[in-house]
Each structure stands twice: as C-alpha cells, then as structure tokens.
Amino acid sequence: AMARTTSTKASLETIKTQLNTYYLNTSSFPPNLQTMVTAKYLESGKLMDGWNVAFIYAPNPGNTERPYDLGSC
C-alpha cells in the first residue's frame, strides 16, 4: 500500500505542476484532465492513482484561493 500511496502522491504533484503550466500558457485551467492529455501536458497513464482509479479534478472558475480541486479517492 505504501508504494501505491507514494506513486499517487508523485502523480498528483506532476498533475499540479502541469496544471500550472497549462494555466500560464492559456490563462485558464482545463475543463478536465483529458484535455491535459489531448494538449500533451500529461500522459494518459497519469490520470489514474495507485489503485487504478481516476483522479478527481474539478476547476473552480473565479476562485483565486483554490482554482481547482484535485485528489484521489
């Protein structure tokens, strides 16, 4: 379980970094993580956590404190 947790945390960090890069390039956050794959910011394998469950992502337009929610079940 520890390896899955470590893998999931690493993937979340990668996604956060790429979300910020996407934002810098487009001035907005993507509507979903699949957009990040299509735009070549992420590999499709990065969309699942260590338990093979899709990450939860939801943009919060207009919320500068928390521009998006990102997590794992």
Side-chain angles (χ1 to χ4, degrees):
M2 184 64 108
R4 288 180 178 186
T5 301
T6 302
S7 162
T8 298
K9 285 181 179 174
S11 291
L12 284 170
E13 287 306 311
T14 299
I15 293 170
K16 284 180 190 174
T17 299
Q18 292 304 95
L19 283 168
N20 289 332
T21 301
Y22 183 97
Y23 182 82
L24 289 173
N25 291 337
T26 66
S27 300
S28 66
F29 286 99
N32 53 54
L33 293 180
Q34 189 58 48
T35 300
M36 299 285 287
V37 173
T38 305
K40 304 285 191 237
Y41 286 87
L42 290 173
E43 296 169 30
S44 58
K46 293 284 184 196
L47 302 185
M48 301 290 213
D49 66 15
W51 292 266
N52 254 1
V53 177
F55 285 112
I56 299 161
Y57 167 77
N60 296 320
N63 185 337
T64 53
E65 292 290 312
R66 189 171 180 164
Y68 57 84
D69 294 316
L70 177 67
S72 168
C73 289

